[in-house]
Amino acid sequence: MHTRTLRSLRRGAAAGALIALLALLALSGCSSDGSTDAAANPTRSISDDQAAGVPDDQASPAPQESSSPSKGPVLPDAKLTPATGSFTAKEKKYLHGRVPKNMDPAAVLQAGQETCQRIERTAAHDKDAAIGALIAGDLPSADDAIAQLCPKQKPLLDKAATGFADGTRKKPAPGTYRALTSAEGCTWKALGADDKVLASGPGPDAAKKVTAKIPSGTRTFVSSGCYAWLPA
């Protein structure tokens, strides 16, 4: 329990900067026409320090349960109908198996649309911030939302698939990676056989953007406060 709490505190330090970004985006509001492919509307320029990650429960009022596949009884597809109008084929596919009984499917769809809008608007300011959120899993059911509701964002999802989240990574591919955060306190080390340290960083004169060179023979890569990693 102590270790889990410590990891949460470290993650919070690295993720804190995007709280300001996503709060700013939330204030800009959703698109007025309810489109599932809402255009990005950046409101002002931001600093690099605002382009880190944030847990979704701090960034959006939408509950995670409403956008994740339901683990309990769900509405059959035949009953996936809104109060007015109709759902598109892609919207119905997104809602399949996702709407708990006695819940409005339109509310579940809205949660998915808001996930898309946060991805789009965050990417409009800083693509690394959006990719980092996808890697870290801070946007619930983002894979499904992108596939069915905002497929234009699939390049971000494809890019995120090449990276990995902060923490412990077993048998990483050798190469140079960059941390998707500019927050202070990002540290890493590459461990070989018998947990021998093969490389570590950053050094005392490290630049604001942290990179890690993972050598061949690395069995475990451990990082803290770095949020997410992408090949450099």
Side-chain angles (χ1 to χ4, degrees):
M1 181 67 70
H2 176 75
T3 300
R4 185 177 299 172
T5 302
L6 183 57
R7 288 178 178 172
S8 298
L9 291 172
R10 288 174 174 172
R11 177 184 174 87
L18 192 60
I19 294 175
L21 170 59
L22 291 178
L24 171 64
L25 301 180
L27 289 174
S28 68
C30 301
S31 63
S32 59
D33 60 1
S35 170
T36 58
D37 287 328
N41 279 320
T43 57
R44 67 188 74 174
S45 61
I46 62 171
S47 68
D48 286 343
D49 286 342
Q50 290 174 302
V54 60
D56 187 66
D57 59 0
Q58 297 181 39
S60 170
Q64 181 170 344
E65 291 79 10
S66 66
S67 56
S68 302
S70 177
K71 296 180 181 179
V74 298
L75 285 177
D77 289 356
K79 293 187 177 181
L80 293 177
T81 55
T84 60
S86 61
F87 293 128
T88 66
K90 287 187 175 182
E91 289 170 345
K92 286 184 177 180
K93 188 172 182 180
Y94 174 76
L95 292 172
H96 172 73
R98 194 178 297 274
V99 184
K101 285 187 175 181
N102 302 320
M103 187 169 185
D104 182 3
V108 177
L109 176 62
Q110 182 180 1
Q113 291 171 336
E114 289 174 353
T115 294
C116 280
Q117 289 165 356
R118 290 206 308 278
I119 294 170
E120 292 163 350
R121 289 172 176 157
T122 302
H125 288 281
D126 192 316
K127 287 185 177 180
D128 276 358
I131 293 169
L134 291 171
I135 293 173
D138 289 335
L139 299 172
S141 299
D143 292 15
D144 292 339
I146 290 175
Q148 304 303 329
L149 304 178
C150 50
K152 290 182 180 180
Q153 304 306 315
K154 193 174 183 299
L156 297 178
L157 199 60
D158 293 341
K159 187 71 173 179
T162 67
F164 54 89
D166 193 28
T168 300
R169 177 80 169 180
K170 295 292 186 180
K171 298 181 179 179
T176 302
Y177 296 82
R178 58 189 179 92
L180 299 184
T181 181
S182 56
E184 295 181 1
C186 170
T187 60
W188 61 271
K189 57 184 176 180
L191 306 176
D194 299 321
D195 289 338
K196 178 181 179 181
V197 177
L198 305 180
S200 63
D205 298 323
K208 193 173 184 180
K209 296 294 185 179
V210 177
T211 59
K213 293 184 177 181
I214 301 179
S216 298
T218 297
R219 294 188 177 183
T220 308
F221 179 79
V222 181
S223 65
S224 175
C226 304
Y227 190 49
W229 295 90
L230 273 182

